[in-house]
Amino acid sequence: MSVFAYPSEVIREAEVPLLEAGVALMARAARALANIAGETLATDRGRVTGSRVCVLAGPGNNAGDALFAAAALARRGAAVTIITLFEHTHAEGLAAARRSGAQVIAFAADPAEATAAGPADPDHAEALRELTRADLVLDGILGTGGRRGLPEHIAGLIAAWAPHRRGRLIAVDVPSDLSFETTGAEQRIHADRTVTFGGLKAELVDPRVSAFTGAIDVIDIGLDLDPELATAELLDEGDLVTGFPRPADDGHKYSRGIAGVLAGSEEYPGAGVLTTTSAVNSGAGMVRCLGSAAVAEFVIGLHPEVVTASGRVDAVVLGPGDPEPEFLQPVIDALTGTTIPVVIDAGGLDMVGRAETMADTWLGDRPLLITPHAAELARLLSRLLGEIITAGRIGQDPLGWARQAAELTGAIVLLKGHHTVIAAPDGHTVLPEPGPASLATAGAGDVLAGVLGGLFAIASARSRYSSDDRSLLSHQWARLAGLAVLIHNAAGRRAINASGIADALAEVVDALIHGQD
């Protein structure tokens, strides 16, 4: 189900009133951490008793969480070693670990004495031995308040341990030295699991850090976090089951939404078929095939319910398959002066950002979603920024570039890829769970465009027929786009090519509408 991600400062501020009221937040966090650590050891070794646990302890509260958790594991029979890495650590946590029988190794070397080859601390060999033979290591070095970049003596220890590591590592709150840099990544801390407290930290959801975080557990410690302060929302199939816009009992084809599709050309007629098929199968009440009669002939042969006559639409998809300009202009003319949502894909993306500001164009005053892949976004941003942006640069920071594109264009940006990211102009981002590898196939983007058009048409019609007649906010459109990605993912698990995925959409949507699993 939906999980919100918050800036670290929002979570820290939410802790303040509870701490002032004397609520033992650390005890709650440590208890949950100890339970997860115990489950990990039981899974790997069959029991906690006799296992070896090592704690990398820094100076902050996340070290306290790790130390109190280690004390609990020691009471359950684990052999615990604490490696203190600074001149001081969390005093109460360290005392609790000592009382439970933990061994303590002081490893607070003077950074001036450390070298790139390894730390000068005489306990280096002992610390390295304990790390190497540990079944489980708890990373409590630095938390969200720590500066990026470990002191040299710690970095040297981690680098020396990395080739010999055999046990699992759980990061406490956030992995220490979490960074987007790839240089030397193999010698940094890679967690198998991250246990974070109070709420999901925004820095943990960036696709670039998944190799360092491992699986993420969010532990509720009683904070009253306001979702309005979140900067990102993670969606999974549970959200699709609860959030899919099912038809109302008293609805009709117009209230279910009319999707207009301008896709396909003489050169790429298949794109028109794929996009229209997926719009038909997405649950909209009607689909209009706009543009080329040649493409429409292919479409009608497969879907006689598709309408080719002009008329009202609640959302429009344009661009897949590079429709010819003579078919594009009438659609633009019909949309001018309206607020009908528009989904722009593929060749249509060249229209975005041509004017000095988006408000100067027919695209400006409406919900607008663009769906580039990395190369298409690179071309768009190169044009907008007046510098060369490469697809490689986009791939190094997909979330950051998607946000920048949304800010520059005023559009919701759905950046396609293994980790699809959706950025709204207000800074909110939606991160649907990744889809299957089968989606990496020609035409899959056309299928996604059709699903987006269908869901946008449904939402637009609902807003029009609603008694309060309130339009959706940009982050709500972005969330709807995230649901479309999840539908696309589900269909991708049932097929291996684009036409199969488009057909499988009917099965997925049928199950959603009729309440099947």
Side-chain angles (χ1 to χ4, degrees):
M1 295 298 289
S2 184
V3 177
F4 292 96
Y6 301 85
S8 295
E9 56 268 22
V10 169
I11 296 176
R12 287 196 292 267
E13 289 172 5
E15 292 175 344
V16 171
L18 295 179
L19 292 172
E20 290 177 346
V23 177
L25 296 183
M26 184 172 289
R28 295 179 181 179
R31 183 165 54 249
L33 177 60
N35 288 338
I36 290 174
E39 291 169 4
T40 301
L41 290 168
T43 298
D44 291 347
R45 302 186 73 256
R47 64 187 187 279
V48 175
T49 302
S51 61
R52 292 186 173 276
V53 176
C54 193
V55 177
L56 294 168
N61 286 337
N62 64 323
D65 299 331
L67 290 167
F68 279 116
L73 293 172
R75 291 193 294 271
R76 293 176 61 181
V80 175
T81 299
I82 311 298
I83 302 175
T84 59
L85 299 168
F86 295 83
E87 290 185 2
H88 65 278
T89 187
H90 193 277
E92 293 84 359
L94 183 61
R98 286 184 185 274
R99 287 195 300 270
S100 298
Q103 172 192 3
V104 179
I105 300 172
F107 191 70
D110 181 353
E113 298 176 3
T115 68
D121 192 288
D123 287 327
H124 173 224
E126 186 179 3
L128 184 58
R129 182 180 66 250
E130 292 301 320
L131 284 171
T132 301
R133 65 179 183 165
D135 300 300
L136 178 67
V137 175
L138 300 182
D139 166 22
I141 305 173
L142 295 175
T144 56
R147 293 185 300 173
R148 294 296 171 248
L150 294 175
E152 288 188 37
H153 73 291
I154 302 176
L157 177 63
I158 299 301
W161 169 49
H164 308 289
R165 173 178 157 184
R166 68 176 185 87
R168 293 187 184 272
L169 186 145
I170 295 178
V172 182
D173 210 23
V174 296
S176 298
D177 196 26
L178 188 65
S179 172
F180 305 132
E181 296 294 329
T182 57
T183 303
E186 67 281 355
Q187 295 183 336
R188 296 210 306 270
I189 291 176
H190 288 248
D192 298 287
R193 199 167 184 175
T194 296
V195 180
T196 193
F197 309 108
L200 182 61
K201 278 71 176 176
E203 56 261 52
L204 296 177
V205 303
D206 191 300
R208 295 173 294 171
V209 304
S210 59
F212 298 96
T213 63
I216 298 173
D217 298 277
V218 181
I219 304 302
D220 181 8
I221 56 173
L223 305 187
D224 186 19
L225 294 172
D226 182 359
E228 293 296 321
L229 299 178
T231 57
E233 182 179 7
L234 281 65
L235 302 180
D236 61 22
E237 282 197 352
D239 297 290
L240 181 56
V241 172
T242 58
F244 181 80
R246 297 171 176 83
D249 292 339
D250 59 350
H252 46 81
K253 63 184 178 184
Y254 299 111
S255 65
R256 288 182 63 183
I258 306 170
V261 176
L262 177 60
S265 59
E266 183 176 345
E267 189 172 6
Y268 303 110
V273 174
L274 290 171
T275 307
T276 308
T277 297
S278 56
V280 167
N281 289 340
S282 65
M286 182 189 297
V287 176
R288 294 188 189 276
C289 184
L290 311 174
S292 168
V295 173
E297 186 175 351
F298 283 109
V299 170
I300 296 299
L302 291 172
H303 303 289
E305 66 269 36
V306 172
V307 176
T308 57
S310 61
R312 186 178 68 203
V313 292
D314 294 297
V316 171
V317 182
L318 58 87
D322 294 335
E324 290 86 358
E326 62 265 31
F327 302 116
L328 181 61
Q329 192 58 51
V331 174
I332 292 175
D333 292 341
L335 288 170
T336 301
T338 74
T339 58
I340 293 171
V342 173
V343 177
I344 300 182
D345 182 59
L349 293 168
D350 286 339
M351 297 185 299
V352 179
R354 290 294 185 187
E356 193 169 303
T357 65
M358 290 300 293
D360 293 335
T361 77
W362 62 276
L363 296 174
D365 191 22
R366 70 178 74 252
L368 175 64
L369 175 74
I370 62 176
T371 62
H373 52 60
E376 290 167 335
L377 186 60
R379 289 196 296 270
L380 173 61
L381 287 172
S382 295
R383 192 166 67 239
L384 293 173
L385 297 173
E387 62 177 288
I388 296 176
I389 307 295
T390 64
R393 289 178 65 185
I394 300 294
Q396 290 171 1
D397 183 11
L399 193 53
W401 286 111
R403 284 172 170 159
Q404 185 170 359
E407 182 180 356
L408 287 170
T409 63
I412 299 164
V413 177
L414 187 155
L415 178 56
K416 294 181 287 193
H418 173 61
H419 287 279
T420 294
V421 300
I422 305 168
D426 62 5
H428 190 79
T429 54
V430 175
L431 304 170
E433 64 182 354
S438 57
L439 292 175
T441 186
D446 303 330
V447 175
L448 177 59
V451 181
L452 289 162
L455 292 196
F456 273 38
I458 293 170
S460 179
R462 283 191 171 187
S463 178
R464 183 158 50 83
Y465 280 93
S466 173
S467 58
D468 59 15
D469 194 31
R470 288 184 297 181
S471 59
L472 299 181
L473 301 174
S474 64
H475 72 270
Q476 293 172 308
W477 288 109
R479 189 178 197 277
L480 189 63
L483 296 182
V485 172
L486 294 177
I487 294 174
H488 192 235
N489 290 353
R493 296 187 184 97
R494 304 175 184 224
I496 59 171
N497 54 48
S499 57
I501 295 168
D503 291 338
L505 288 170
E507 301 175 28
V508 174
V509 174
D510 175 73
L512 288 168
I513 289 176
H514 296 109
Q516 302 166 27
D517 185 2

